[in-house]
Amino acid sequence: MAADGPWLVVGLGNPGPEYAGNRHNVGFMVVDLIADRIRGKFKAHKARAQVVEGRIGPAGPANRRIVLAKPMSYMNLSGGPVTALRDFYKVPVERVVAVHDELDIDYGTLRLKLGGGDNGHNGLKSMTKSMGAEYHRVRFGIGRPPGRMQVADFVLKDFSSAERKELDYFVDRAADAVECLVLEGLERAQSSYNS
């Protein structure tokens, strides 16, 4: 594995303005923020994704090449574009990071892990089917739907006004967690950001 090979950080979401503020699109929000930090602009890629290439970390040998990606397929077809990008940039699966919403974690809570199941998340299910499960996940808690609301309805709704008050803070923290994972490794990122 080349020391300077890039990391592929994939924000999971659905393309189109009607989905932009949805809970299911928090992965897009996180990679958008990292792109802003590195002053990158997303461009269309032949792999049916929007990508930004850049570097994170301090100047010099400690920084890392990073490819930020937003698949432009719908969530349940994310695996195709992600696998095409992984192949195009020659990224080993253990340097792929999926940033996604997670129902079984309280709102705003982060958990980072390597590998595991998809927990019913269609974006992860598609990625795992395409390339196996041994990629990193940055799981952004959105909590469970209230009352009898269906999960599909809940994830495709925008964050509530109460949630939006803290959303920028939580997205910022998730972006920090991604950068820590890429620069310092999973254990350091888990000890700093898993809550």
Side-chain angles (χ1 to χ4, degrees):
M1 181 157 71
D4 196 40
W7 282 70
L8 174 60
V9 178
V10 181
L12 293 179
N14 285 308
E18 67 273 31
Y19 298 106
N22 289 181
R23 291 180 178 94
H24 225 18
N25 272 41
V26 74
F28 277 17
M29 296 173 197
V30 173
V31 295
D32 281 340
L33 178 58
I34 299 169
D36 285 348
R37 289 177 175 182
I38 64 172
R39 295 182 179 81
K41 291 265 183 270
F42 280 95
K43 295 181 177 66
H45 189 279
K46 65 183 179 186
R48 288 182 314 154
Q50 297 278 326
V51 300
V52 167
E53 297 177 47
R55 288 186 171 272
I56 59 170
N63 72 19
R64 296 277 177 273
R65 284 176 59 207
I66 191 169
V67 177
L68 303 169
K70 298 189 289 188
M72 291 290 111
S73 59
Y74 286 96
M75 180 71 85
N76 60 342
L77 300 172
S78 300
V82 175
T83 303
L85 288 170
R86 184 203 66 187
D87 293 348
F88 180 84
Y89 289 103
K90 297 177 176 54
V91 178
V93 71
E94 64 273 13
R95 279 204 191 158
V96 176
V97 181
V99 184
H100 64 90
D101 57 309
E102 179 65 64
L103 287 160
D104 288 335
I105 303 175
D106 291 339
Y107 173 63
T109 300
L110 291 176
R111 298 263 166 76
L112 289 81
K113 70 177 190 170
L114 175 63
D118 56 53
N119 207 16
H121 192 289
N122 288 331
L124 296 180
K125 200 175 288 183
S126 177
M127 282 180 62
T128 297
K129 188 176 172 193
S130 286
M131 61 184 197
E134 290 308 303
Y135 53 89
H136 287 89
R137 295 100 190 277
V138 175
R139 303 155 71 208
F140 186 111
I142 60 169
R144 300 294 304 180
R148 297 181 178 203
M149 185 188 287
Q150 294 295 311
V151 165
D153 295 333
F154 179 69
V155 299
L156 293 176
K157 283 204 174 350
D158 285 1
F159 286 99
S160 70
S161 53
E163 288 170 333
R164 279 197 301 270
K165 288 189 175 91
E166 297 180 293
L167 183 59
D168 287 348
Y169 168 76
F170 289 138
V171 167
D172 192 66
R173 196 162 177 277
D176 290 346
V178 169
E179 292 186 13
C180 183
L181 168 64
V182 171
L183 292 167
E184 301 183 53
L186 180 61
E187 282 183 28
R188 171 61 65 88
Q190 285 174 326
S191 65
S192 301
Y193 294 97
N194 275 12
S195 38

Coordinates of all heavy atoms in Angstrom, one line a residue, residues 91-127:
V91 N -7.6 2.9 -4.4 CA -7.7 3.0 -3.0 C -8.0 1.7 -2.4 O -9.0 1.1 -2.7 CB -8.8 4.0 -2.6 CG1 -8.9 4.2 -1.1 CG2 -8.6 5.4 -3.2
P92 N -7.2 1.2 -1.5 CA -7.5 -0.1 -0.8 C -8.8 0.1 0.0 O -9.0 1.2 0.6 CB -6.3 -0.4 0.0 CG -5.5 0.8 0.1 CD -5.9 1.7 -1.0
V93 N -9.6 -1.0 0.2 CA -10.8 -0.8 0.9 C -10.7 -0.3 2.3 O -11.6 0.4 2.8 CB -11.7 -2.2 0.8 CG1 -11.0 -3.2 1.7 CG2 -13.1 -1.9 1.2
E94 N -9.6 -0.6 2.9 CA -9.4 -0.1 4.3 C -9.1 1.4 4.4 O -9.0 2.0 5.5 CB -8.3 -0.9 5.1 CG -6.9 -0.8 4.5 CD -6.6 -1.8 3.4 OE1 -7.6 -2.5 2.9 OE2 -5.4 -2.0 3.1
R95 N -8.9 2.1 3.2 CA -8.8 3.5 3.2 C -10.1 4.2 2.6 O -10.0 5.4 2.2 CB -7.6 3.9 2.3 CG -6.3 3.8 3.0 CD -5.3 4.7 2.3 NE -4.0 4.4 2.8 CZ -2.8 4.7 2.2 NH1 -2.9 5.3 1.1 NH2 -1.7 4.4 2.8
V96 N -11.1 3.4 2.6 CA -12.4 4.0 2.2 C -13.2 4.3 3.5 O -13.2 3.5 4.4 CB -13.2 3.0 1.3 CG1 -14.6 3.6 1.0 CG2 -12.5 2.7 0.0
V97 N -13.8 5.5 3.6 CA -14.5 6.0 4.7 C -15.9 6.3 4.2 O -16.1 7.2 3.4 CB -13.9 7.2 5.4 CG1 -14.7 7.6 6.6 CG2 -12.4 6.9 5.8
A98 N -17.0 5.7 4.8 CA -18.3 6.1 4.5 C -18.8 6.9 5.7 O -18.8 6.5 6.9 CB -19.2 4.8 4.4
V99 N -19.4 8.1 5.4 CA -20.0 9.0 6.4 C -21.5 8.9 6.2 O -22.0 9.2 5.1 CB -19.5 10.4 6.2 CG1 -20.1 11.3 7.4 CG2 -18.0 10.5 6.2
H100 N -22.2 8.5 7.2 CA -23.6 8.2 7.0 C -24.5 8.4 8.3 O -23.9 8.5 9.4 CB -23.8 6.7 6.5 CG -23.4 5.7 7.5 ND1 -24.2 5.2 8.4 CD2 -22.2 5.1 7.7 CE1 -23.6 4.3 9.2 NE2 -22.3 4.3 8.8
D101 N -25.8 8.6 8.1 CA -26.7 8.7 9.2 C -26.9 7.3 9.8 O -26.8 6.3 9.2 CB -28.1 9.2 8.6 CG -28.7 8.3 7.5 OD1 -27.9 8.0 6.5 OD2 -29.8 7.9 7.7
E102 N -27.2 7.3 11.1 CA -27.4 6.1 11.9 C -28.5 6.2 12.8 O -28.5 7.1 13.7 CB -26.1 5.8 12.7 CG -26.1 4.6 13.5 CD -26.2 3.3 12.7 OE1 -25.3 3.0 11.9 OE2 -27.2 2.6 12.9
L103 N -29.6 5.4 12.6 CA -30.8 5.4 13.4 C -30.6 5.0 14.9 O -31.3 5.5 15.8 CB -31.8 4.5 12.8 CG -32.5 4.9 11.5 CD1 -33.1 3.7 10.8 CD2 -33.6 6.0 11.8
D104 N -29.7 4.0 15.1 CA -29.6 3.4 16.4 C -28.7 4.2 17.4 O -28.3 3.7 18.4 CB -29.2 2.0 16.3 CG -30.3 1.1 15.8 OD1 -31.5 1.5 15.9 OD2 -30.0 0.1 15.2
I105 N -28.4 5.4 17.0 CA -27.5 6.3 17.9 C -28.3 7.6 18.1 O -28.9 8.1 17.1 CB -26.2 6.5 17.2 CG1 -25.4 5.2 16.9 CG2 -25.3 7.4 18.1 CD1 -24.1 5.4 16.1
D106 N -28.2 8.1 19.3 CA -28.9 9.4 19.6 C -28.4 10.5 18.6 O -27.3 10.5 18.2 CB -28.7 9.8 21.0 CG -29.4 8.9 22.0 OD1 -30.4 8.2 21.6 OD2 -29.0 8.8 23.2
Y107 N -29.3 11.4 18.4 CA -29.0 12.6 17.5 C -27.7 13.2 17.9 O -27.5 13.6 19.1 CB -30.1 13.6 17.5 CG -29.8 14.8 16.7 CD1 -29.5 14.8 15.4 CD2 -29.6 16.1 17.4 CE1 -29.2 15.9 14.7 CE2 -29.3 17.2 16.7 CZ -29.0 17.1 15.3 OH -28.7 18.2 14.6
G108 N -26.8 13.4 16.9 CA -25.5 14.2 17.1 C -24.4 13.3 17.7 O -23.3 13.8 17.7
T109 N -24.7 12.1 18.1 CA -23.6 11.2 18.7 C -22.9 10.6 17.5 O -23.5 10.3 16.5 CB -24.3 10.1 19.5 OG1 -25.0 10.7 20.6 CG2 -23.2 9.2 20.1
L110 N -21.6 10.5 17.6 CA -20.7 9.9 16.6 C -20.2 8.6 17.1 O -19.8 8.4 18.2 CB -19.5 10.8 16.3 CG -19.8 12.1 15.6 CD1 -18.5 12.9 15.5 CD2 -20.4 11.9 14.2
R111 N -20.0 7.7 16.1 CA -19.3 6.4 16.4 C -18.5 6.1 15.1 O -19.1 6.1 14.0 CB -20.3 5.3 16.7 CG -21.2 5.4 17.9 CD -20.6 4.7 19.1 NE -21.3 5.2 20.3 CZ -22.5 4.8 20.7 NH1 -23.2 4.0 20.0 NH2 -23.0 5.3 21.8
L112 N -17.3 5.7 15.3 CA -16.4 5.3 14.2 C -16.1 3.9 14.4 O -15.8 3.4 15.5 CB -15.1 6.2 14.2 CG -15.2 7.6 13.8 CD1 -15.7 8.5 15.0 CD2 -13.9 8.2 13.3
K113 N -16.0 3.2 13.3 CA -15.6 1.8 13.3 C -15.1 1.3 12.0 O -15.3 2.0 10.9 CB -16.8 0.9 13.8 CG -17.9 0.7 12.8 CD -19.0 -0.2 13.4 CE -20.0 -0.6 12.3 NZ -20.9 -1.6 12.8
L114 N -14.5 0.2 12.0 CA -14.0 -0.5 10.7 C -14.8 -1.8 10.5 O -14.9 -2.6 11.4 CB -12.5 -0.8 10.8 CG -11.9 -1.6 9.7 CD1 -12.0 -0.8 8.4 CD2 -10.5 -2.0 10.0
G115 N -15.4 -1.9 9.4 CA -16.2 -3.1 9.1 C -17.5 -3.2 9.8 O -17.9 -2.2 10.5
G116 N -18.2 -4.3 9.7 CA -19.4 -4.5 10.4 C -20.6 -4.7 9.5 O -20.4 -4.7 8.3
G117 N -21.8 -4.8 10.1 CA -23.0 -4.9 9.3 C -23.5 -3.6 8.8 O -22.9 -2.6 9.0
D118 N -24.6 -3.7 8.0 CA -25.2 -2.5 7.5 C -26.3 -1.9 8.3 O -26.8 -0.8 8.0 CB -25.6 -2.7 6.0 CG -26.6 -3.8 5.9 OD1 -27.7 -3.8 6.6 OD2 -26.4 -4.7 5.1
N119 N -26.8 -2.7 9.3 CA -27.9 -2.2 10.2 C -29.1 -1.7 9.4 O -29.7 -0.7 9.8 CB -27.3 -1.2 11.1 CG -28.1 -1.1 12.4 OD1 -28.8 -2.0 12.7 ND2 -27.9 0.0 13.2
G120 N -29.4 -2.3 8.2 CA -30.5 -1.9 7.5 C -30.3 -0.6 6.6 O -31.3 -0.2 6.0
H121 N -29.1 -0.1 6.6 CA -28.9 1.2 5.9 C -28.6 0.8 4.4 O -27.6 0.1 4.1 CB -27.6 1.9 6.5 CG -27.5 3.3 6.0 ND1 -27.0 3.5 4.7 CD2 -27.6 4.5 6.6 CE1 -27.0 4.9 4.6 NE2 -27.3 5.4 5.7
N122 N -29.4 1.3 3.5 CA -29.3 0.9 2.1 C -28.1 1.3 1.4 O -27.6 0.7 0.5 CB -30.6 1.4 1.3 CG -31.8 0.6 1.7 OD1 -31.7 -0.6 2.1 ND2 -33.0 1.3 1.6
G123 N -27.5 2.5 1.8 CA -26.2 2.9 1.3 C -25.1 2.0 1.6 O -24.3 1.6 0.8
L124 N -25.1 1.6 2.9 CA -24.0 0.7 3.4 C -24.2 -0.7 2.7 O -23.3 -1.4 2.3 CB -24.0 0.5 4.9 CG -23.7 1.8 5.7 CD1 -23.8 1.5 7.2 CD2 -22.3 2.4 5.3
K125 N -25.5 -1.1 2.6 CA -25.8 -2.4 2.1 C -25.2 -2.5 0.6 O -24.6 -3.5 0.2 CB -27.3 -2.6 2.1 CG -27.8 -4.0 2.0 CD -29.3 -4.1 2.1 CE -29.8 -3.8 3.5 NZ -31.2 -3.9 3.7
S126 N -25.5 -1.4 -0.1 CA -25.0 -1.4 -1.5 C -23.5 -1.4 -1.6 O -22.9 -2.1 -2.4 CB -25.6 -0.1 -2.2 OG -25.1 0.0 -3.5
M127 N -22.8 -0.6 -0.7 CA -21.4 -0.5 -0.7 C -20.8 -1.9 -0.3 O -19.8 -2.4 -1.0 CB -20.9 0.5 0.3 CG -21.0 1.9 -0.2 SD -20.4 3.2 1.0 CE -18.6 2.7 1.2

